[in-house]
Amino acid sequence: MAAARRESTTIGKAAKREGGPPARSSGLRRGSNLEHVADFNDSVVLDAIRRARTGSSRAELAVETGLAAQTVSDVCQRLLDQGLIAETGTSSTGFGRPRRTLELVPASRYALGVHIDPATITYVLLDLGGNLVAHFSRQTSSPQDADVIMAGMASALDVLLAGSGIERDRILGLGIAAPGPLDIAGGAMVDPPHLPGWHRVELVDRLHRATGLPVVLDKDVTAAAVAERWAGGATGNSDFAFLYLGTGVGVGLVSGDIVVRGRSGNAGDIGHLIVDVDGPPCGCGQRGCLGTACSPLFLIQEAVAAGVLPASPDDGQLVQAVRRVGALCRAADDGDERAVAILHRSARRLARAIVTIGNLVDTELVVCGGPAWAPAAHHYLPLLRPMVAERFVMREIHDLSVVGTGLGADVAAIGAACLILDERFAARP
Ligand SMILES: [Zn+2]
């Protein structure tokens, strides 16, 4: 069996785990009773306690994880000693002694997350349970100047931490979600399309030196999928995709309960999938690519051409276009049929992409999110669901559900922090 490879770059003391049994389709993994994988077993048990939400007894954990009762007891004692779990009460099955219930202690550890976007940089602090403790966003005032942005990030993180009142030694690390392409091995962003001037920015090394924290870097769409798995509505789904609509468009994939990162950690670049043969020309030479035809820039161009929105000197600026998607959606909310038609055309294109994703990876769920999704979600969802249901090839075998993320506009930043929780505490094969 091949050992698992963690594709993100980690500097500092964030733990790495290798080896162990294969994944179960249920999402939980079976433990091993071998002594040398005690650390893996700790993760398996902690993962089971975390997912149980309402608490588990040691006996239930033994059944759930496949570990021997004594092994579960030993692991629980270690987790109790570290303050990661607590005994919170008793449960009774009606037979024998009542059993002590174990629950996660969310306030025992925390993780920081940063999402670098051409429009906004978002900072979040999560507790061990994946709950949002603090967050703030800053508009990217000079998005082309990496040095200026990097200089502000460490101080912004200090402000976030100071405001939360949480001791620094409870912070496990800092996760960064960034647009691709990424040099994961080198911990760097490499010429992202919407951040000209960011030729090679070594985020991991620079932020580790600035904060002293372990740092993990991953693609923003992958981070969004990890967020959905840890803190969102897909915690029980072993096969799902996250369709991220922001300044760019991309897909995060989870298959067989494994986050799919690809050969170089850059999986999910779906921007040039053709979704409308009569659509707008793309820089790649094709017409109707998803990333162009469903981009905020094109939606706003259509809205201006149709007279829904006034022309603006910033109409060619992608960053401003993302912010103006809300105005287009409000016009549709107010009954402007031209605005409704623009969103309807965009939904048809998105539906083609969602069906292709579903057919390609045989998934059961596509979660949509991102800043260009949020204001349009209530228009898109009722249109997407019947379109997808009609065209999904496996529709007689299983459904392909389409939902909006419940994590809001901060989903990629939450995902960045979840990368740290995932790195430290998720049981992986
Ligand atoms: Zn293209």
Side-chain angles (χ1 to χ4, degrees):
M1 183 184 66
R5 280 188 308 149
R6 181 77 172 92
E7 294 288 2
S8 58
T9 295
T10 306
I11 285 190
K13 59 184 177 183
K16 294 194 175 189
R17 298 185 181 85
E18 292 187 341
R24 291 164 66 202
S25 59
S26 67
L28 275 172
R29 295 185 171 85
R30 306 290 282 181
S32 163
N33 295 307
L34 299 174
E35 276 186 27
H36 71 278
V37 289
D39 188 50
F40 177 80
N41 287 342
D42 289 7
S43 297
V44 169
V45 172
L46 190 68
D47 206 30
I49 293 171
R50 179 179 71 84
R51 291 181 189 233
R53 301 283 181 191
T54 55
S56 295
S57 69
R58 289 171 177 78
E60 288 166 337
L61 289 168
V63 172
E64 190 78 35
T65 61
L67 292 167
Q70 186 58 50
T71 304
V72 169
S73 184
D74 293 345
V75 167
C76 287
Q77 192 54 55
R78 278 198 296 275
L79 297 175
L80 284 163
D81 291 345
Q82 294 174 68
L84 296 169
I85 62 172
E87 290 181 334
T88 55
T90 55
S91 64
S92 174
T93 58
F95 301 98
R97 286 184 304 161
R99 294 162 170 176
R100 290 190 180 278
T101 307
L102 298 157
E103 288 187 32
L104 195 73
V105 179
S108 60
R109 302 289 189 282
Y110 297 85
L112 286 163
V114 178
H115 178 211
I116 299 173
D117 179 87
T120 310
I121 297 185
T122 305
Y123 304 84
V124 300
L125 179 63
L126 298 191
D127 68 21
L128 183 58
N131 306 300
L132 187 62
V133 176
H135 73 126
F136 71 86
S137 295
R138 281 184 181 166
Q139 292 193 354
T140 315
S141 54
S142 52
Q144 298 188 14
D145 192 332
D147 288 334
V148 171
I149 291 174
M150 295 291 293
M153 283 174 65
S155 61
L157 288 163
D158 281 341
V159 169
L160 185 74
L161 261 186
S164 73
I166 290 162
E167 305 91 344
R168 205 173 180 86
D169 62 3
R170 291 194 176 219
I171 307 297
L172 296 167
L174 166 65
I176 309 167
L182 302 176
D183 172 3
I184 296 286
M189 289 171 73
V190 182
D191 297 319
H194 303 306
L195 284 167
W198 288 51
H199 169 60
R200 182 179 179 84
V201 180
E202 293 176 340
L203 292 167
V204 170
D205 187 43
R206 290 170 69 167
L207 285 173
H208 171 60
R209 279 191 275 118
T211 65
L213 292 167
V215 178
V216 172
L217 170 67
D218 222 332
K219 207 170 157 181
D220 46 10
V221 292
T222 302
V226 173
E228 206 60 36
R229 194 162 172 248
W230 264 85
T235 51
N237 294 89
S238 57
D239 293 88
F240 72 94
F242 193 105
L243 180 60
Y244 188 89
L245 301 175
T247 45
V249 56
V251 175
L253 290 170
V254 174
S255 181
D257 208 32
I258 302 293
V259 179
V260 178
R261 292 184 165 87
R263 171 66 183 83
S264 67
N266 285 292
D269 204 330
I270 199 174
H272 297 289
L273 178 74
I274 296 173
V275 291
D276 184 352
V277 291
D278 300 318
C282 177
C284 73
Q286 306 179 110
R287 295 191 79 90
C289 292
L290 174 68
T292 300
C294 291
S295 77
L297 202 58
F298 184 62
L299 288 180
I300 298 309
Q301 280 175 9
E302 286 194 304
V304 170
V308 177
L309 297 179
S312 158
D314 295 327
D315 277 345
Q317 300 295 314
L318 183 56
V319 170
Q320 278 73 16
V322 173
R323 293 172 189 148
R324 292 185 82 194
V325 170
L328 169 64
C329 296
R330 284 192 293 279
D333 290 342
D334 292 340
D336 187 327
E337 291 183 0
R338 299 164 301 177
V340 171
I342 290 168
L343 292 174
H344 199 125
R345 274 200 300 278
S346 183
R348 273 202 304 274
R349 293 162 177 155
L350 285 174
R352 292 189 187 111
I354 290 170
V355 168
T356 299
I357 295 163
N359 290 343
L360 183 67
V361 293
D362 187 14
T363 191
E364 61 190 354
L365 173 69
V366 174
V367 183
C368 303
W373 165 267
H378 61 292
H379 290 282
Y380 281 153
L381 277 174
L383 298 166
L384 288 173
R385 285 171 171 153
M387 291 178 193
V388 169
E390 188 182 333
R391 295 175 192 158
F392 181 49
V393 169
M394 273 76 79
R395 61 186 174 275
E396 299 298 331
I397 312 294
H398 64 83
D399 292 334
L400 174 56
S401 301
V402 183
V403 301
T405 179
L407 296 174
D410 292 340
V411 60
I414 291 171
C418 286
L419 295 172
I420 294 293
L421 301 180
D422 198 53
E423 183 83 11
R424 287 295 299 266
F425 295 113
R428 59 173 58 90

PDB file of all heavy atoms in Angstrom, residues 352-377:
ATOM      1  N   ARG A 352     -23.781  23.257 -16.981  1.00  0.00           N
ATOM      2  CA  ARG A 352     -22.981  22.375 -17.848  1.00  0.00           C
ATOM      3  C   ARG A 352     -21.677  21.990 -17.157  1.00  0.00           C
ATOM      4  O   ARG A 352     -21.227  20.848 -17.236  1.00  0.00           O
ATOM      5  CB  ARG A 352     -22.697  23.064 -19.190  1.00  0.00           C
ATOM      6  CG  ARG A 352     -23.949  23.234 -20.036  1.00  0.00           C
ATOM      7  CD  ARG A 352     -23.624  23.725 -21.450  1.00  0.00           C
ATOM      8  NE  ARG A 352     -24.868  24.028 -22.147  1.00  0.00           N
ATOM      9  CZ  ARG A 352     -25.269  25.258 -22.483  1.00  0.00           C
ATOM     10  NH1 ARG A 352     -24.503  26.303 -22.236  1.00  0.00           N
ATOM     11  NH2 ARG A 352     -26.419  25.435 -23.085  1.00  0.00           N
ATOM     12  N   ALA A 353     -21.063  22.943 -16.483  1.00  0.00           N
ATOM     13  CA  ALA A 353     -19.813  22.648 -15.769  1.00  0.00           C
ATOM     14  C   ALA A 353     -20.068  21.658 -14.629  1.00  0.00           C
ATOM     15  O   ALA A 353     -19.309  20.703 -14.435  1.00  0.00           O
ATOM     16  CB  ALA A 353     -19.207  23.934 -15.218  1.00  0.00           C
ATOM     17  N   ILE A 354     -21.148  21.873 -13.893  1.00  0.00           N
ATOM     18  CA  ILE A 354     -21.445  20.997 -12.744  1.00  0.00           C
ATOM     19  C   ILE A 354     -21.726  19.571 -13.220  1.00  0.00           C
ATOM     20  O   ILE A 354     -21.256  18.597 -12.620  1.00  0.00           O
ATOM     21  CB  ILE A 354     -22.633  21.565 -11.935  1.00  0.00           C
ATOM     22  CG1 ILE A 354     -22.181  22.844 -11.211  1.00  0.00           C
ATOM     23  CG2 ILE A 354     -23.175  20.543 -10.951  1.00  0.00           C
ATOM     24  CD1 ILE A 354     -23.314  23.637 -10.583  1.00  0.00           C
ATOM     25  N   VAL A 355     -22.455  19.443 -14.318  1.00  0.00           N
ATOM     26  CA  VAL A 355     -22.738  18.107 -14.856  1.00  0.00           C
ATOM     27  C   VAL A 355     -21.441  17.432 -15.301  1.00  0.00           C
ATOM     28  O   VAL A 355     -21.221  16.239 -15.038  1.00  0.00           O
ATOM     29  CB  VAL A 355     -23.744  18.203 -16.030  1.00  0.00           C
ATOM     30  CG1 VAL A 355     -23.824  16.886 -16.779  1.00  0.00           C
ATOM     31  CG2 VAL A 355     -25.118  18.596 -15.498  1.00  0.00           C
ATOM     32  N   THR A 356     -20.562  18.184 -15.933  1.00  0.00           N
ATOM     33  CA  THR A 356     -19.288  17.608 -16.374  1.00  0.00           C
ATOM     34  C   THR A 356     -18.453  17.153 -15.181  1.00  0.00           C
ATOM     35  O   THR A 356     -17.872  16.063 -15.188  1.00  0.00           O
ATOM     36  CB  THR A 356     -18.498  18.635 -17.214  1.00  0.00           C
ATOM     37  OG1 THR A 356     -19.275  18.967 -18.368  1.00  0.00           O
ATOM     38  CG2 THR A 356     -17.157  18.082 -17.656  1.00  0.00           C
ATOM     39  N   ILE A 357     -18.407  17.972 -14.137  1.00  0.00           N
ATOM     40  CA  ILE A 357     -17.667  17.587 -12.924  1.00  0.00           C
ATOM     41  C   ILE A 357     -18.278  16.304 -12.348  1.00  0.00           C
ATOM     42  O   ILE A 357     -17.576  15.352 -12.006  1.00  0.00           O
ATOM     43  CB  ILE A 357     -17.725  18.712 -11.869  1.00  0.00           C
ATOM     44  CG1 ILE A 357     -16.998  19.957 -12.361  1.00  0.00           C
ATOM     45  CG2 ILE A 357     -17.138  18.243 -10.541  1.00  0.00           C
ATOM     46  CD1 ILE A 357     -17.353  21.222 -11.567  1.00  0.00           C
ATOM     47  N   GLY A 358     -19.617  16.297 -12.239  1.00  0.00           N
ATOM     48  CA  GLY A 358     -20.303  15.138 -11.660  1.00  0.00           C
ATOM     49  C   GLY A 358     -20.065  13.870 -12.462  1.00  0.00           C
ATOM     50  O   GLY A 358     -19.801  12.802 -11.902  1.00  0.00           O
ATOM     51  N   ASN A 359     -20.135  14.007 -13.784  1.00  0.00           N
ATOM     52  CA  ASN A 359     -19.920  12.833 -14.649  1.00  0.00           C
ATOM     53  C   ASN A 359     -18.474  12.350 -14.574  1.00  0.00           C
ATOM     54  O   ASN A 359     -18.210  11.144 -14.576  1.00  0.00           O
ATOM     55  CB  ASN A 359     -20.249  13.185 -16.104  1.00  0.00           C
ATOM     56  CG  ASN A 359     -21.740  13.388 -16.317  1.00  0.00           C
ATOM     57  OD1 ASN A 359     -22.565  12.978 -15.501  1.00  0.00           O
ATOM     58  ND2 ASN A 359     -22.087  14.036 -17.416  1.00  0.00           N
ATOM     59  N   LEU A 360     -17.544  13.296 -14.518  1.00  0.00           N
ATOM     60  CA  LEU A 360     -16.123  12.932 -14.558  1.00  0.00           C
ATOM     61  C   LEU A 360     -15.700  12.168 -13.313  1.00  0.00           C
ATOM     62  O   LEU A 360     -14.997  11.169 -13.409  1.00  0.00           O
ATOM     63  CB  LEU A 360     -15.275  14.203 -14.699  1.00  0.00           C
ATOM     64  CG  LEU A 360     -13.767  14.013 -14.820  1.00  0.00           C
ATOM     65  CD1 LEU A 360     -13.425  13.318 -16.126  1.00  0.00           C
ATOM     66  CD2 LEU A 360     -13.063  15.352 -14.719  1.00  0.00           C
ATOM     67  N   VAL A 361     -16.121  12.627 -12.153  1.00  0.00           N
ATOM     68  CA  VAL A 361     -15.624  12.017 -10.912  1.00  0.00           C
ATOM     69  C   VAL A 361     -16.696  11.222 -10.168  1.00  0.00           C
ATOM     70  O   VAL A 361     -16.450  10.741  -9.080  1.00  0.00           O
ATOM     71  CB  VAL A 361     -15.002  13.077  -9.975  1.00  0.00           C
ATOM     72  CG1 VAL A 361     -13.739  13.649 -10.591  1.00  0.00           C
ATOM     73  CG2 VAL A 361     -15.976  14.188  -9.643  1.00  0.00           C
ATOM     74  N   ASP A 362     -17.885  11.087 -10.786  1.00  0.00           N
ATOM     75  CA  ASP A 362     -18.966  10.294 -10.191  1.00  0.00           C
ATOM     76  C   ASP A 362     -19.232  10.735  -8.754  1.00  0.00           C
ATOM     77  O   ASP A 362     -19.196   9.933  -7.827  1.00  0.00           O
ATOM     78  CB  ASP A 362     -18.611   8.797 -10.245  1.00  0.00           C
ATOM     79  CG  ASP A 362     -19.787   7.919  -9.796  1.00  0.00           C
ATOM     80  OD1 ASP A 362     -20.924   8.433  -9.706  1.00  0.00           O
ATOM     81  OD2 ASP A 362     -19.559   6.716  -9.539  1.00  0.00           O
ATOM     82  N   THR A 363     -19.459  12.015  -8.594  1.00  0.00           N
ATOM     83  CA  THR A 363     -19.667  12.544  -7.249  1.00  0.00           C
ATOM     84  C   THR A 363     -21.160  12.647  -6.942  1.00  0.00           C
ATOM     85  O   THR A 363     -22.004  12.505  -7.830  1.00  0.00           O
ATOM     86  CB  THR A 363     -18.979  13.912  -7.104  1.00  0.00           C
ATOM     87  OG1 THR A 363     -18.959  14.289  -5.743  1.00  0.00           O
ATOM     88  CG2 THR A 363     -19.684  14.996  -7.901  1.00  0.00           C
ATOM     89  N   GLU A 364     -21.476  12.859  -5.651  1.00  0.00           N
ATOM     90  CA  GLU A 364     -22.876  12.905  -5.230  1.00  0.00           C
ATOM     91  C   GLU A 364     -23.319  14.309  -4.837  1.00  0.00           C
ATOM     92  O   GLU A 364     -24.487  14.557  -4.592  1.00  0.00           O
ATOM     93  CB  GLU A 364     -23.077  11.973  -4.035  1.00  0.00           C
ATOM     94  CG  GLU A 364     -22.222  12.374  -2.824  1.00  0.00           C
ATOM     95  CD  GLU A 364     -22.214  11.332  -1.721  1.00  0.00           C
ATOM     96  OE1 GLU A 364     -22.952  10.342  -1.830  1.00  0.00           O
ATOM     97  OE2 GLU A 364     -21.453  11.520  -0.752  1.00  0.00           O
ATOM     98  N   LEU A 365     -22.343  15.213  -4.753  1.00  0.00           N
ATOM     99  CA  LEU A 365     -22.644  16.540  -4.220  1.00  0.00           C
ATOM    100  C   LEU A 365     -21.691  17.570  -4.821  1.00  0.00           C
ATOM    101  O   LEU A 365     -20.484  17.336  -4.884  1.00  0.00           O
ATOM    102  CB  LEU A 365     -22.474  16.517  -2.690  1.00  0.00           C
ATOM    103  CG  LEU A 365     -22.582  17.841  -1.945  1.00  0.00           C
ATOM    104  CD1 LEU A 365     -24.019  18.366  -1.979  1.00  0.00           C
ATOM    105  CD2 LEU A 365     -22.118  17.658  -0.488  1.00  0.00           C
ATOM    106  N   VAL A 366     -22.253  18.672  -5.278  1.00  0.00           N
ATOM    107  CA  VAL A 366     -21.421  19.817  -5.656  1.00  0.00           C
ATOM    108  C   VAL A 366     -21.830  20.990  -4.771  1.00  0.00           C
ATOM    109  O   VAL A 366     -22.997  21.393  -4.746  1.00  0.00           O
ATOM    110  CB  VAL A 366     -21.580  20.188  -7.150  1.00  0.00           C
ATOM    111  CG1 VAL A 366     -20.806  21.473  -7.461  1.00  0.00           C
ATOM    112  CG2 VAL A 366     -21.070  19.053  -8.034  1.00  0.00           C
ATOM    113  N   VAL A 367     -20.865  21.485  -3.996  1.00  0.00           N
ATOM    114  CA  VAL A 367     -21.090  22.637  -3.125  1.00  0.00           C
ATOM    115  C   VAL A 367     -20.535  23.863  -3.855  1.00  0.00           C
ATOM    116  O   VAL A 367     -19.420  23.821  -4.369  1.00  0.00           O
ATOM    117  CB  VAL A 367     -20.353  22.464  -1.781  1.00  0.00           C
ATOM    118  CG1 VAL A 367     -20.662  23.637  -0.857  1.00  0.00           C
ATOM    119  CG2 VAL A 367     -20.729  21.145  -1.127  1.00  0.00           C
ATOM    120  N   CYS A 368     -21.339  24.912  -3.935  1.00  0.00           N
ATOM    121  CA  CYS A 368     -20.897  26.123  -4.627  1.00  0.00           C
ATOM    122  C   CYS A 368     -20.655  27.228  -3.609  1.00  0.00           C
ATOM    123  O   CYS A 368     -21.353  27.329  -2.595  1.00  0.00           O
ATOM    124  CB  CYS A 368     -21.963  26.589  -5.618  1.00  0.00           C
ATOM    125  SG  CYS A 368     -22.408  25.338  -6.838  1.00  0.00           S
ATOM    126  N   GLY A 369     -19.672  28.078  -3.889  1.00  0.00           N
ATOM    127  CA  GLY A 369     -19.392  29.181  -2.980  1.00  0.00           C
ATOM    128  C   GLY A 369     -18.413  30.159  -3.582  1.00  0.00           C
ATOM    129  O   GLY A 369     -17.981  29.998  -4.727  1.00  0.00           O
ATOM    130  N   GLY A 370     -18.068  31.161  -2.802  1.00  0.00           N
ATOM    131  CA  GLY A 370     -17.141  32.195  -3.256  1.00  0.00           C
ATOM    132  C   GLY A 370     -17.853  33.523  -3.409  1.00  0.00           C
ATOM    133  O   GLY A 370     -19.087  33.586  -3.449  1.00  0.00           O
ATOM    134  N   PRO A 371     -17.085  34.608  -3.504  1.00  0.00           N
ATOM    135  CA  PRO A 371     -17.695  35.946  -3.526  1.00  0.00           C
ATOM    136  C   PRO A 371     -18.605  36.208  -4.721  1.00  0.00           C
ATOM    137  O   PRO A 371     -19.518  37.031  -4.625  1.00  0.00           O
ATOM    138  CB  PRO A 371     -16.476  36.885  -3.543  1.00  0.00           C
ATOM    139  CG  PRO A 371     -15.305  36.039  -3.870  1.00  0.00           C
ATOM    140  CD  PRO A 371     -15.617  34.650  -3.436  1.00  0.00           C
ATOM    141  N   ALA A 372     -18.369  35.551  -5.859  1.00  0.00           N
ATOM    142  CA  ALA A 372     -19.246  35.773  -7.010  1.00  0.00           C
ATOM    143  C   ALA A 372     -20.462  34.834  -6.974  1.00  0.00           C
ATOM    144  O   ALA A 372     -21.377  34.971  -7.792  1.00  0.00           O
ATOM    145  CB  ALA A 372     -18.477  35.579  -8.319  1.00  0.00           C
ATOM    146  N   TRP A 373     -20.453  33.900  -6.053  1.00  0.00           N
ATOM    147  CA  TRP A 373     -21.603  33.006  -5.879  1.00  0.00           C
ATOM    148  C   TRP A 373     -22.604  33.586  -4.885  1.00  0.00           C
ATOM    149  O   TRP A 373     -23.822  33.587  -5.121  1.00  0.00           O
ATOM    150  CB  TRP A 373     -21.146  31.619  -5.396  1.00  0.00           C
ATOM    151  CG  TRP A 373     -22.271  30.765  -4.866  1.00  0.00           C
ATOM    152  CD1 TRP A 373     -22.669  30.666  -3.564  1.00  0.00           C
ATOM    153  CD2 TRP A 373     -23.158  29.944  -5.619  1.00  0.00           C
ATOM    154  NE1 TRP A 373     -23.748  29.810  -3.457  1.00  0.00           N
ATOM    155  CE2 TRP A 373     -24.063  29.364  -4.704  1.00  0.00           C
ATOM    156  CE3 TRP A 373     -23.277  29.627  -6.972  1.00  0.00           C
ATOM    157  CZ2 TRP A 373     -25.074  28.481  -5.107  1.00  0.00           C
ATOM    158  CZ3 TRP A 373     -24.282  28.750  -7.376  1.00  0.00           C
ATOM    159  CH2 TRP A 373     -25.164  28.190  -6.452  1.00  0.00           C
ATOM    160  N   ALA A 374     -22.076  34.097  -3.758  1.00  0.00           N
ATOM    161  CA  ALA A 374     -22.929  34.450  -2.622  1.00  0.00           C
ATOM    162  C   ALA A 374     -24.114  35.343  -2.995  1.00  0.00           C
ATOM    163  O   ALA A 374     -25.262  35.006  -2.664  1.00  0.00           O
ATOM    164  CB  ALA A 374     -22.082  35.077  -1.518  1.00  0.00           C
ATOM    165  N   PRO A 375     -23.914  36.470  -3.707  1.00  0.00           N
ATOM    166  CA  PRO A 375     -25.075  37.333  -3.976  1.00  0.00           C
ATOM    167  C   PRO A 375     -26.047  36.732  -4.986  1.00  0.00           C
ATOM    168  O   PRO A 375     -27.211  37.126  -5.038  1.00  0.00           O
ATOM    169  CB  PRO A 375     -24.440  38.618  -4.527  1.00  0.00           C
ATOM    170  CG  PRO A 375     -23.103  38.214  -5.029  1.00  0.00           C
ATOM    171  CD  PRO A 375     -22.654  37.068  -4.182  1.00  0.00           C
ATOM    172  N   ALA A 376     -25.571  35.770  -5.784  1.00  0.00           N
ATOM    173  CA  ALA A 376     -26.410  35.198  -6.850  1.00  0.00           C
ATOM    174  C   ALA A 376     -27.010  33.854  -6.468  1.00  0.00           C
ATOM    175  O   ALA A 376     -27.811  33.303  -7.230  1.00  0.00           O
ATOM    176  CB  ALA A 376     -25.576  35.046  -8.129  1.00  0.00           C
ATOM    177  N   ALA A 377     -26.659  33.324  -5.298  1.00  0.00           N
ATOM    178  CA  ALA A 377     -27.031  31.953  -4.954  1.00  0.00           C
ATOM    179  C   ALA A 377     -28.534  31.716  -5.039  1.00  0.00           C
ATOM    180  O   ALA A 377     -28.981  30.685  -5.557  1.00  0.00           O
ATOM    181  CB  ALA A 377     -26.522  31.628  -3.551  1.00  0.00           C
TER     182      ALA A 377
END
